[in-house]
mmCIF file of all heavy atoms in Angstrom:
data_model
loop_
_atom_site.group_PDB
_atom_site.id
_atom_site.type_symbol
_atom_site.label_atom_id
_atom_site.label_comp_id
_atom_site.label_asym_id
_atom_site.label_seq_id
_atom_site.Cartn_x
_atom_site.Cartn_y
_atom_site.Cartn_z
ATOM 1 N N TYR A 64 92.679 149.607 65.202
ATOM 2 C CA TYR A 64 93.753 150.502 65.574
ATOM 3 C C TYR A 64 93.375 151.332 66.857
ATOM 4 O O TYR A 64 94.252 151.506 67.735
ATOM 5 C CB TYR A 64 94.100 151.499 64.479
ATOM 6 C CG TYR A 64 94.574 150.852 63.152
ATOM 7 C CD1 TYR A 64 94.641 151.575 62.022
ATOM 8 C CD2 TYR A 64 94.920 149.477 63.128
ATOM 9 C CE1 TYR A 64 95.029 150.995 60.784
ATOM 10 C CE2 TYR A 64 95.330 148.915 61.978
ATOM 11 C CZ TYR A 64 95.386 149.640 60.790
ATOM 12 O OH TYR A 64 95.813 149.081 59.619
ATOM 13 N N LEU A 68 96.768 151.090 71.214
ATOM 14 C CA LEU A 68 97.478 152.047 72.146
ATOM 15 C C LEU A 68 96.509 152.839 72.971
ATOM 16 O O LEU A 68 96.813 153.020 74.168
ATOM 17 C CB LEU A 68 98.399 152.981 71.348
ATOM 18 C CG LEU A 68 99.706 152.338 70.788
ATOM 19 C CD1 LEU A 68 100.507 153.352 70.044
ATOM 20 C CD2 LEU A 68 100.523 151.713 71.931
ATOM 21 N N PRO A 69 95.408 153.375 72.399
ATOM 22 C CA PRO A 69 94.480 154.120 73.317
ATOM 23 C C PRO A 69 93.964 153.253 74.475
ATOM 24 O O PRO A 69 93.851 153.803 75.618
ATOM 25 C CB PRO A 69 93.290 154.462 72.358
ATOM 26 C CG PRO A 69 93.946 154.508 71.019
ATOM 27 C CD PRO A 69 94.970 153.409 70.995
ATOM 28 N N GLU A 107 89.144 161.238 52.716
ATOM 29 C CA GLU A 107 90.359 161.687 53.440
ATOM 30 C C GLU A 107 90.057 162.786 54.433
ATOM 31 O O GLU A 107 90.603 162.818 55.569
ATOM 32 C CB GLU A 107 91.421 162.111 52.374
ATOM 33 C CG GLU A 107 92.770 162.390 52.979
ATOM 34 C CD GLU A 107 93.427 161.178 53.510
ATOM 35 O OE1 GLU A 107 93.163 160.078 53.051
ATOM 36 O OE2 GLU A 107 94.262 161.354 54.481
ATOM 37 N N LEU A 110 88.544 161.394 57.601
ATOM 38 C CA LEU A 110 89.559 160.765 58.485
ATOM 39 C C LEU A 110 90.326 161.796 59.275
ATOM 40 O O LEU A 110 90.621 161.700 60.469
ATOM 41 C CB LEU A 110 90.475 159.884 57.727
ATOM 42 C CG LEU A 110 89.858 158.737 56.932
ATOM 43 C CD1 LEU A 110 90.889 157.929 56.148
ATOM 44 C CD2 LEU A 110 89.075 157.789 57.828
ATOM 45 N N VAL A 111 90.692 162.930 58.583
ATOM 46 C CA VAL A 111 91.484 164.024 59.210
ATOM 47 C C VAL A 111 90.599 164.681 60.265
ATOM 48 O O VAL A 111 91.092 164.961 61.431
ATOM 49 C CB VAL A 111 91.889 165.052 58.159
ATOM 50 C CG1 VAL A 111 92.543 166.251 58.825
ATOM 51 C CG2 VAL A 111 92.923 164.376 57.233
ATOM 52 N N ALA A 113 88.140 163.345 61.979
ATOM 53 C CA ALA A 113 88.009 162.364 63.055
ATOM 54 C C ALA A 113 89.154 162.435 64.040
ATOM 55 O O ALA A 113 88.999 162.416 65.223
ATOM 56 C CB ALA A 113 87.765 160.973 62.548
ATOM 57 N N VAL A 114 90.348 162.559 63.458
ATOM 58 C CA VAL A 114 91.569 162.722 64.273
ATOM 59 C C VAL A 114 91.525 164.067 65.058
ATOM 60 O O VAL A 114 91.852 164.049 66.269
ATOM 61 C CB VAL A 114 92.775 162.621 63.389
ATOM 62 C CG1 VAL A 114 94.045 163.031 64.149
ATOM 63 C CG2 VAL A 114 92.942 161.245 62.798
ATOM 64 N N GLN A 115 91.119 165.107 64.400
ATOM 65 C CA GLN A 115 91.005 166.386 65.106
ATOM 66 C C GLN A 115 89.964 166.370 66.213
ATOM 67 O O GLN A 115 90.162 166.936 67.248
ATOM 68 C CB GLN A 115 90.700 167.492 64.124
ATOM 69 C CG GLN A 115 91.838 167.787 63.160
ATOM 70 C CD GLN A 115 91.481 168.898 62.189
ATOM 71 O OE1 GLN A 115 90.391 169.432 62.164
ATOM 72 N NE2 GLN A 115 92.491 169.353 61.386
ATOM 73 N N ALA A 117 89.086 163.702 67.965
ATOM 74 C CA ALA A 117 89.689 162.972 69.083
ATOM 75 C C ALA A 117 90.651 163.828 69.914
ATOM 76 O O ALA A 117 90.679 163.845 71.090
ATOM 77 C CB ALA A 117 90.395 161.771 68.603
ATOM 78 N N LEU A 118 91.374 164.700 69.125
ATOM 79 C CA LEU A 118 92.348 165.577 69.816
ATOM 80 C C LEU A 118 91.637 166.599 70.688
ATOM 81 O O LEU A 118 91.959 166.761 71.896
ATOM 82 C CB LEU A 118 93.176 166.347 68.732
ATOM 83 C CG LEU A 118 94.069 167.419 69.230
ATOM 84 C CD1 LEU A 118 95.257 166.872 70.056
ATOM 85 C CD2 LEU A 118 94.659 168.222 68.063
ATOM 86 N N GLN A 246 100.799 148.890 57.044
ATOM 87 C CA GLN A 246 101.334 149.467 58.300
ATOM 88 C C GLN A 246 100.216 149.480 59.343
ATOM 89 O O GLN A 246 99.178 150.079 59.164
ATOM 90 C CB GLN A 246 101.739 150.899 58.023
ATOM 91 C CG GLN A 246 102.423 151.529 59.289
ATOM 92 C CD GLN A 246 102.930 152.973 58.951
ATOM 93 O OE1 GLN A 246 102.710 153.436 57.879
ATOM 94 N NE2 GLN A 246 103.616 153.536 59.919
ATOM 95 N N ILE A 247 100.443 148.741 60.417
ATOM 96 C CA ILE A 247 99.322 148.543 61.423
ATOM 97 C C ILE A 247 99.095 149.821 62.197
ATOM 98 O O ILE A 247 97.965 150.256 62.316
ATOM 99 C CB ILE A 247 99.725 147.378 62.423
ATOM 100 C CG1 ILE A 247 99.728 146.090 61.622
ATOM 101 C CG2 ILE A 247 98.781 147.331 63.543
ATOM 102 C CD1 ILE A 247 100.143 144.918 62.485
ATOM 103 N N VAL A 248 100.146 150.506 62.710
ATOM 104 C CA VAL A 248 99.944 151.734 63.487
ATOM 105 C C VAL A 248 100.765 152.775 62.872
ATOM 106 O O VAL A 248 102.005 152.642 62.799
ATOM 107 C CB VAL A 248 100.301 151.515 64.970
ATOM 108 C CG1 VAL A 248 100.123 152.818 65.709
ATOM 109 C CG2 VAL A 248 99.446 150.447 65.628
ATOM 110 N N ALA A 249 100.133 153.859 62.452
ATOM 111 C CA ALA A 249 100.837 154.991 61.876
ATOM 112 C C ALA A 249 100.765 156.157 62.872
ATOM 113 O O ALA A 249 99.747 156.717 63.090
ATOM 114 C CB ALA A 249 100.231 155.379 60.531
ATOM 115 N N LEU A 250 101.979 156.428 63.502
ATOM 116 C CA LEU A 250 101.986 157.520 64.509
ATOM 117 C C LEU A 250 102.321 158.838 63.814
ATOM 118 O O LEU A 250 103.303 158.894 63.100
ATOM 119 C CB LEU A 250 102.994 157.181 65.596
ATOM 120 C CG LEU A 250 102.759 155.901 66.342
ATOM 121 C CD1 LEU A 250 103.888 155.687 67.378
ATOM 122 C CD2 LEU A 250 101.428 155.874 67.059
ATOM 123 N N ALA A 251 101.546 159.855 64.096
ATOM 124 C CA ALA A 251 101.812 161.129 63.505
ATOM 125 C C ALA A 251 101.079 162.199 64.321
ATOM 126 O O ALA A 251 100.001 161.889 64.891
ATOM 127 C CB ALA A 251 101.416 161.226 62.023
ATOM 128 N N LEU A 252 101.625 163.390 64.397
ATOM 129 C CA LEU A 252 100.901 164.458 65.046
ATOM 130 C C LEU A 252 99.707 164.922 64.211
ATOM 131 O O LEU A 252 99.834 165.028 62.961
ATOM 132 C CB LEU A 252 101.855 165.703 65.225
ATOM 133 C CG LEU A 252 102.992 165.424 66.234
ATOM 134 C CD1 LEU A 252 103.872 166.705 66.262
ATOM 135 C CD2 LEU A 252 102.441 165.185 67.642
ATOM 136 N N PRO A 253 98.578 165.148 64.826
ATOM 137 C CA PRO A 253 97.328 165.526 64.067
ATOM 138 C C PRO A 253 97.563 166.798 63.309
ATOM 139 O O PRO A 253 98.161 167.781 63.866
ATOM 140 C CB PRO A 253 96.267 165.639 65.119
ATOM 141 C CG PRO A 253 96.822 164.900 66.276
ATOM 142 C CD PRO A 253 98.333 165.046 66.220
ATOM 143 N N ALA A 254 97.046 166.910 62.066
ATOM 144 C CA ALA A 254 97.086 168.135 61.369
ATOM 145 C C ALA A 254 96.044 169.117 61.952
ATOM 146 O O ALA A 254 94.976 168.687 62.448
ATOM 147 C CB ALA A 254 96.735 167.918 59.907
ATOM 148 N N THR A 255 96.389 170.348 62.043
ATOM 149 C CA THR A 255 95.451 171.346 62.659
ATOM 150 C C THR A 255 95.017 172.366 61.665
ATOM 151 O O THR A 255 95.874 173.006 60.969
ATOM 152 C CB THR A 255 96.151 172.062 63.810
ATOM 153 O OG1 THR A 255 97.355 172.611 63.423
ATOM 154 C CG2 THR A 255 96.442 171.016 64.969
ATOM 155 N N LEU A 304 93.824 161.273 77.878
ATOM 156 C CA LEU A 304 95.077 160.767 77.289
ATOM 157 C C LEU A 304 94.810 159.677 76.248
ATOM 158 O O LEU A 304 95.531 159.605 75.225
ATOM 159 C CB LEU A 304 96.016 160.200 78.368
ATOM 160 C CG LEU A 304 96.630 161.295 79.268
ATOM 161 C CD1 LEU A 304 97.394 160.561 80.406
ATOM 162 C CD2 LEU A 304 97.542 162.226 78.512
ATOM 163 N N ALA A 305 93.779 158.861 76.462
ATOM 164 C CA ALA A 305 93.429 157.807 75.512
ATOM 165 C C ALA A 305 92.959 158.443 74.153
ATOM 166 O O ALA A 305 93.367 157.971 73.083
ATOM 167 C CB ALA A 305 92.383 156.898 76.032
ATOM 168 N N LYS A 306 92.159 159.452 74.242
ATOM 169 C CA LYS A 306 91.731 160.150 73.024
ATOM 170 C C LYS A 306 92.856 160.874 72.349
ATOM 171 O O LYS A 306 92.910 160.871 71.077
ATOM 172 C CB LYS A 306 90.595 161.183 73.365
ATOM 173 C CG LYS A 306 89.274 160.513 73.800
ATOM 174 C CD LYS A 306 88.227 161.509 74.149
ATOM 175 C CE LYS A 306 86.911 160.827 74.409
ATOM 176 N NZ LYS A 306 86.985 159.901 75.553
ATOM 177 N N LEU A 307 93.772 161.488 73.100
ATOM 178 C CA LEU A 307 94.954 162.082 72.487
ATOM 179 C C LEU A 307 95.819 161.034 71.815
ATOM 180 O O LEU A 307 96.324 161.251 70.696
ATOM 181 C CB LEU A 307 95.749 162.863 73.499
ATOM 182 C CG LEU A 307 95.112 163.988 74.166
ATOM 183 C CD1 LEU A 307 96.009 164.683 75.187
ATOM 184 C CD2 LEU A 307 94.747 165.096 73.125
ATOM 185 N N THR A 308 95.929 159.850 72.420
ATOM 186 C CA THR A 308 96.653 158.757 71.775
ATOM 187 C C THR A 308 95.958 158.291 70.488
ATOM 188 O O THR A 308 96.668 157.952 69.511
ATOM 189 C CB THR A 308 96.824 157.632 72.751
ATOM 190 O OG1 THR A 308 97.364 158.068 73.995
ATOM 191 C CG2 THR A 308 97.629 156.472 72.183
ATOM 192 N N ALA A 309 94.667 158.203 70.528
ATOM 193 C CA ALA A 309 93.894 157.866 69.308
ATOM 194 C C ALA A 309 94.184 158.856 68.195
ATOM 195 O O ALA A 309 94.284 158.471 67.016
ATOM 196 C CB ALA A 309 92.432 157.791 69.634
ATOM 197 N N ALA A 310 94.256 160.143 68.574
ATOM 198 C CA ALA A 310 94.605 161.155 67.532
ATOM 199 C C ALA A 310 95.981 160.921 66.976
ATOM 200 O O ALA A 310 96.185 161.073 65.710
ATOM 201 C CB ALA A 310 94.448 162.502 68.125
ATOM 202 N N VAL A 311 96.960 160.680 67.793
ATOM 203 C CA VAL A 311 98.306 160.349 67.330
ATOM 204 C C VAL A 311 98.424 159.128 66.479
ATOM 205 O O VAL A 311 99.152 159.001 65.550
ATOM 206 C CB VAL A 311 99.305 160.305 68.511
ATOM 207 C CG1 VAL A 311 100.674 159.920 68.068
ATOM 208 C CG2 VAL A 311 99.324 161.659 69.225
ATOM 209 N N CYS A 312 97.482 158.142 66.793
ATOM 210 C CA CYS A 312 97.464 156.877 66.018
ATOM 211 C C CYS A 312 96.647 156.972 64.797
ATOM 212 O O CYS A 312 96.382 155.991 64.106
ATOM 213 C CB CYS A 312 96.934 155.750 66.927
ATOM 214 S SG CYS A 312 97.974 155.290 68.289
ATOM 215 N N GLN A 313 96.137 158.173 64.458
ATOM 216 C CA GLN A 313 95.300 158.441 63.253
ATOM 217 C C GLN A 313 94.028 157.597 63.321
ATOM 218 O O GLN A 313 93.546 157.085 62.340
ATOM 219 C CB GLN A 313 96.078 158.057 61.995
ATOM 220 C CG GLN A 313 97.402 158.742 61.853
ATOM 221 C CD GLN A 313 97.289 160.295 61.880
ATOM 222 O OE1 GLN A 313 96.690 160.883 60.943
ATOM 223 N NE2 GLN A 313 97.824 160.981 62.852
ATOM 224 N N ALA A 314 93.479 157.505 64.554
ATOM 225 C CA ALA A 314 92.209 156.746 64.747
ATOM 226 C C ALA A 314 91.101 157.753 65.010
ATOM 227 O O ALA A 314 91.146 158.877 64.477
ATOM 228 C CB ALA A 314 92.345 155.754 65.911
ATOM 229 N N TYR A 315 90.128 157.451 65.768
ATOM 230 C CA TYR A 315 89.005 158.325 66.040
ATOM 231 C C TYR A 315 88.684 158.252 67.569
ATOM 232 O O TYR A 315 89.247 157.417 68.281
ATOM 233 C CB TYR A 315 87.835 158.015 65.129
ATOM 234 C CG TYR A 315 87.039 156.790 65.494
ATOM 235 C CD1 TYR A 315 85.828 156.893 66.178
ATOM 236 C CD2 TYR A 315 87.503 155.518 65.227
ATOM 237 C CE1 TYR A 315 85.055 155.769 66.470
ATOM 238 C CE2 TYR A 315 86.770 154.404 65.534
ATOM 239 C CZ TYR A 315 85.530 154.515 66.185
ATOM 240 O OH TYR A 315 84.794 153.402 66.494
#
Side-chain angles (χ1 to χ4, degrees):
Y64 299 167
L68 287 180
E107 186 66 30
L110 301 180
V111 171
V114 169
Q115 292 181 354
L118 173 68
Q246 186 177 6
I247 293 179
V248 179
L250 301 179
L252 292 176
T255 54
L304 289 174
K306 288 179 176 61
L307 294 179
T308 305
V311 173
C312 294
Q313 307 300 296
Y315 75 103

